Amino acid sequence: MPAGSRLPPAPMSRAGPGAVAALEPPAVAMLKRAVELDSESRFQESLVCYQEGIDLLLQVLKATKDETKKAHYRQKISDYMKRAEAIKKHIEKEREDGKYHQQIKIEENATGFSYEKVFQDYLNETVTEVWVEDPYIRHVHQGSGKSQQTSSLEEIKQSLKNYGVTLNVSFSSSIHDREIRFNNGWMIKIGRGLDYFKKPQGRFYLGYCDFDLRPCHETTVDVFHIKHTKKT
């Protein structure tokens, strides 16, 4: 399943063999995906899958009556929790050292990759400035043509001002790279830039307002820290 996709939580009220039969396959599938991502060193995505798979397996454990199976599930849960905790510590250590590099692969038509979801782990109370360089913002949902771009950006600028945020815009004929930088040291490069969402099919389609529900174009997102980029 695409990275970032989430399985709906199973009802907690179900119990017995039927619940186990319904919950076990998605739990196994999620944990299998976690192990695959883990082996590919895609640790952030792997951690999410481990956490969701463990939650599902805990529900299987609650619904299981057989004591032998209960012991088996408890052992599996313990093993996966230990691995998830080790990955979490590894990620935190790399972030502290400035050596963290995450690559998120967004597949064609994947959902669950809103700007908030992509950037939230790197925005904290220490961020006071953000720089965005994108040479190809032109679609309707981002601005079309120089005059409309200027008008739309001015509108955003005035709106942000009401919240104490200052937006400065400059145009360049020489920008080719696409990157977003935060003044806490994190830098994000997106293959397609900010324009990785598909055009909504209409105003009443899911995803018109909620970008987590809007299908994406295929692209990759690379996250670095400037401490690491200076050393390489």
Side-chain angles (χ1 to χ4, degrees):
M1 68 184 292
S5 298
R6 301 178 69 87
L7 289 172
M12 295 298 294
S13 59
R14 293 186 294 179
V20 174
L23 291 168
E24 190 171 24
V28 171
M30 184 63 73
L31 290 166
K32 181 180 179 181
R33 180 60 175 159
V35 173
E36 290 173 353
L37 291 167
D38 192 349
S39 67
E40 296 171 5
S41 299
R42 294 164 63 180
F43 297 123
Q44 186 69 47
E45 297 165 83
S46 176
L47 181 59
V48 172
C49 289
Y50 273 124
Q51 290 169 337
E52 294 188 6
I54 289 168
D55 287 342
L56 288 169
L57 206 54
L58 282 168
Q59 294 180 46
V60 173
L61 175 63
K62 290 179 181 179
T64 302
K65 303 300 182 183
D66 185 285
E67 289 302 322
T68 301
K69 290 184 177 180
K70 276 181 174 289
H72 171 73
Y73 290 134
R74 288 194 188 99
Q75 185 60 53
K76 287 294 184 182
I77 290 168
S78 176
D79 292 342
Y80 287 127
M81 287 182 71
K82 287 178 182 177
R83 181 54 188 163
E85 186 61 29
I87 291 174
K88 187 176 180 180
K89 289 180 179 179
H90 173 74
I91 291 173
E92 289 174 351
K93 181 66 166 58
E94 285 201 327
R95 285 180 174 175
E96 289 174 1
D97 294 343
K99 297 179 180 179
Y100 181 72
H101 172 213
Q102 178 188 6
Q103 184 176 84
I104 302 170
K105 296 180 181 179
I106 302 178
E107 298 177 7
E108 187 75 7
N109 291 318
T111 57
F113 293 96
S114 64
Y115 295 135
E116 181 180 6
K117 186 70 64 64
V118 171
F119 300 139
Q120 66 183 359
D121 288 342
Y122 312 100
L123 286 169
N124 54 38
E125 65 278 359
T126 66
V127 176
T128 57
E129 294 184 15
V130 179
W131 295 271
V132 178
E133 293 185 0
D134 198 314
Y136 202 62
I137 298 177
R138 70 184 184 95
H139 290 303
V140 174
H141 57 280
Q142 293 180 311
S144 179
K146 183 69 175 288
S147 61
Q148 184 174 337
Q149 278 184 320
T150 303
S151 175
S152 299
L153 290 169
E154 182 61 31
E155 188 175 331
I156 295 172
K157 181 176 182 178
Q158 293 303 317
S159 180
L160 288 172
K161 189 176 181 180
N162 296 330
Y163 292 89
V165 178
T166 301
L167 174 65
N168 295 315
V169 180
S170 61
F171 294 90
S172 172
S173 60
S174 59
I175 290 178
H176 298 290
D177 291 333
R178 299 173 170 90
E179 66 179 40
I180 298 97
R181 289 176 286 125
F182 305 136
N183 68 332
N184 62 355
W186 291 108
M187 178 171 63
I188 299 175
K189 291 179 176 285
I190 305 175
R192 293 184 61 95
L194 292 173
D195 184 27
Y196 61 86
F197 293 103
K198 291 193 172 182
K199 180 180 179 181
Q201 298 181 47
R203 294 179 60 189
F204 300 102
Y205 273 78
L206 292 177
Y208 183 81
C209 296
D210 188 343
F211 276 41
D212 266 324
L213 300 176
R214 187 178 293 193
C216 300
H217 293 286
E218 182 178 359
T219 192
T220 57
V221 180
D222 285 283
V223 183
F224 307 90
H225 196 282
I226 57 174
K227 289 182 183 178
H228 183 49
T229 58
K230 287 179 179 179
K231 293 177 184 177
T232 56

